[in-house]
Amino acid sequence: KLNSETFLDGVKLGVYSPLKFEPVWWHGFDEDSVASYLLVHMHKSINLSYHPVDFKLLTAGSYGLELSEREIQVSDEPNVILVPGLAFTQEGERLGRGKAYFDTYLKNFKGIRVGLFFSFQEVANVYNEEHDEELDYIVTEKNIFNKGKINDN
């Protein structure tokens, strides 16, 4: 389990609502963690915003996490962001969901970028385009990649 004794201490963690084929990021997280959780909201203008949420409420749900109108009124900036995708390379390249929401946000994001994937999503090349943004870390159920270097668990 990840708890407040780990890297989450004081972190503002930007999280996403996983689709059916994506890893559920909260498995293994301690609900008593001192991290702040900010759930992403995707705007029609292909912009993202992050909003504070109660971890205990997030873990009670399953797929399709949504923010209430009240929660959308308050936003914050994460300093660590979890990023989903369809495929990745060990060097931190990712193939996103297709609309460039995360790439647009990551263009000006100064924090740590962590991609969450299953190991079978690893590919040799994702054929990046000019607007595609790289990740600092890729985490799978088997390995953690830091720009091509494997950190074994």
Side-chain angles (χ1 to χ4, degrees):
K1 266 195 160 187
L2 299 173
N3 60 36
S4 61
E5 301 297 319
T6 67
F7 74 96
L8 291 178
D9 192 10
V11 165
K12 291 182 188 179
L13 186 62
V15 299
Y16 62 91
S17 178
L19 301 177
K20 290 180 183 179
F21 58 86
E22 296 173 334
V24 178
W25 57 264
W26 59 81
H27 286 180
F29 278 64
D30 184 343
E31 66 183 35
D32 295 323
S33 170
V34 294
S36 300
Y37 295 91
L38 305 170
L39 183 61
V40 70
H41 178 70
M42 297 179 163
H43 300 272
K44 290 179 183 176
S45 60
I46 309 186
N47 288 318
L48 300 179
S49 58
Y50 284 87
H51 307 274
V53 290
D54 185 336
F55 181 83
K56 292 174 185 160
L57 296 177
L58 283 178
T59 58
S62 58
Y63 299 110
L65 303 174
E66 292 184 13
L67 294 163
S68 69
E69 287 297 322
R70 183 178 52 85
E71 289 170 319
I72 292 174
Q73 300 297 321
V74 179
S75 65
D76 201 353
E77 294 296 321
N79 49 23
V80 176
I81 183 174
L82 302 182
V83 183
L86 301 176
F88 74 94
T89 68
Q90 289 185 10
E91 290 73 32
E93 299 169 317
R94 73 181 258 284
L95 176 63
R97 292 175 169 176
K99 302 229 182 203
Y101 276 92
F102 282 94
D103 289 313
T104 301
Y105 186 83
L106 291 172
K107 187 175 186 175
N108 296 310
F109 181 67
K110 304 293 185 217
I112 298 171
R113 308 155 176 220
V114 180
L116 295 183
F117 295 88
F118 293 109
S119 59
F120 68 81
Q121 292 174 283
E122 181 181 346
V123 296
N125 191 327
V126 294
Y127 304 101
N128 271 351
E129 297 179 36
E130 189 175 315
H131 71 273
D132 291 328
E133 294 288 322
E134 290 186 358
L135 303 171
D136 299 311
Y137 297 91
I138 302 286
V139 177
T140 73
E141 75 280 10
K142 294 182 179 179
N143 289 307
I144 298 173
F145 299 98
N146 178 356
K147 296 283 188 176
K149 298 178 185 122
I150 298 175
N151 299 320
D152 292 322
N153 292 349

